[in-house]
Amino acid sequence: MPVRTPHFPDLLFGSAARLRRWEDALMGLLQSHGYRELHPSLVLREAVPEGALRFFDGDDLVALRWDFTVALAGLLARGFPEPPPRVAYAGAVFRRPVQPWEAVERFEVGCERIQPEGEASAEADVELARLLMAIPGCLGLKSAILHLGNAALVRRPLEAEGLFGALSDAVVAALSRRAPHRVREALDGHPSAARLAAHAEALLSELDGPGTLDALESSPYAGLLEAEREHMDRALQALLPILPPNLELRVDLADVAGLGFYTGPTLRLWAPGAQQELAAGGRYDRLFPDLGRPWQAAGFCVRLSRLLDLADTRPDLFEEPR
């Protein structure tokens, strides 16, 4: 009888073979586009993150890698005087679940696109989106949904109004619940309450319709966000003509997931019927400057643990392996 604990599931023959096949296919795709593999240590010895699985190695408190991006950033910042433009990775992570009934995430494949400070980023963002569009085909997913967002649509107005800390978190939480009236409640009495409430209504007024980007015109911050709107419009113009038939493209102006990390365009991949996103990423231009390197970066990870669970519970969503 198979042994399977809720948080640390074993991979039996079928799942183990699927994991190996998916890792090979995804790394082959990334390498064919110029992404070279790096493999940072599974054990983090510096800046032990909050929430990570920590333990003592002799007298040193260390942690298991809970994500590749931060571990890679530390490796690159220490080891490279100039940023390598394209980096790929595959391997184990140990990411604690948000909900107690979810399994710990343990397998990822992904890529990072790194650029010197000041280099135009639009082309790199589209490059990543095009790569993510090819992921469902690599995995044998019959259909998928790609969400395009932009963290700056929320971050920049909050910063312009000087909102940080708990009040900013309350606004973000209200947007995550798609509830503009909660934004008004959170900001009650604040000088920027009317402007930010109007902005929230603009972000949520046209959910993935033909006028989604046009909805920004009604925002009090339309001028502030003109560059972001043009960036998203150019990305759509580049991506829509090459959209695979099994992929639906949606625009989500109120995407606030990961707002503490992402600084610009965001990408999320879903499958119809999936309860969790299967891949996610975006632009995060503040990470390398915090490590002393004036570099810009964006990337995404494919969450293979979630995909394995989905393949077990919804095999009908996947093509039969050849």
Side-chain angles (χ1 to χ4, degrees), residues 54-305:
R54 292 182 277 187
F55 56 98
F56 279 97
D57 177 19
D59 294 331
D60 299 324
L61 180 63
V62 298
L64 286 183
R65 178 178 62 212
W66 81 108
D67 181 275
F68 265 96
T69 298
V70 173
L72 269 174
L75 171 61
L76 294 169
R78 289 192 305 271
F80 294 82
E82 300 295 332
R86 294 175 177 83
V87 176
Y89 57 83
V93 296
F94 193 93
R95 180 182 294 125
R96 294 183 188 276
V98 175
Q99 302 297 338
W101 57 83
E102 297 173 346
V104 170
E105 288 189 59
R106 297 187 297 156
F107 310 107
E108 280 190 4
V109 169
C111 62
E112 313 290 340
R113 184 74 168 87
I114 306 162
Q115 302 170 273
E117 182 183 35
E119 186 172 296
S121 61
E123 188 174 333
D125 293 335
V126 171
E127 175 183 313
L128 289 170
R130 295 179 67 165
L131 269 175
L132 195 52
M133 287 166 57
I135 298 299
C138 279
L139 300 174
L141 264 174
K142 292 178 181 176
S143 61
I145 305 163
L146 178 61
H147 283 240
L148 295 183
N150 195 316
L153 297 181
V154 176
R155 178 193 292 277
R156 294 196 66 197
L158 290 176
E159 292 178 348
E161 298 291 0
L163 258 68
F164 302 97
L167 193 52
S168 173
D169 292 343
V171 172
V172 171
L175 280 171
S176 71
R177 298 171 65 181
R178 313 283 161 165
H181 67 285
R182 298 284 187 189
V183 175
R184 288 193 294 274
E185 292 174 2
L187 294 170
D188 186 33
H190 193 275
S192 67
R195 289 190 295 275
L196 287 171
H199 183 56
E201 290 175 358
L203 295 179
L204 295 166
S205 64
E206 187 72 28
L207 296 177
D208 195 42
T212 301
L213 291 182
D214 292 341
L216 284 172
E217 292 178 2
S218 63
S219 167
Y221 306 98
L224 177 70
L225 299 172
E226 186 59 31
E228 281 73 20
R229 179 187 171 181
E230 291 178 357
H231 187 102
M232 295 185 75
D233 188 45
R234 285 197 298 272
L236 287 172
Q237 296 302 318
L239 298 176
L240 285 172
I242 59 171
L243 198 64
N246 64 339
L247 187 67
E248 181 182 348
L249 187 62
R250 296 180 181 175
V251 176
D252 184 359
L253 299 180
D255 178 17
V256 293
L259 194 64
F261 183 70
Y262 294 121
T263 58
T266 56
L267 302 164
R268 304 187 189 284
L269 187 71
W270 293 77
Q275 300 299 310
Q276 296 174 307
E277 65 192 16
L278 305 177
R283 177 154 293 280
Y284 55 93
D285 284 336
R286 294 182 178 179
L287 178 57
F288 280 104
D290 287 345
L291 298 173
R293 294 291 190 180
W295 303 342
Q296 309 167 107
F300 65 78
C301 71
V302 182
R303 295 178 157 176
L304 293 181
S305 301

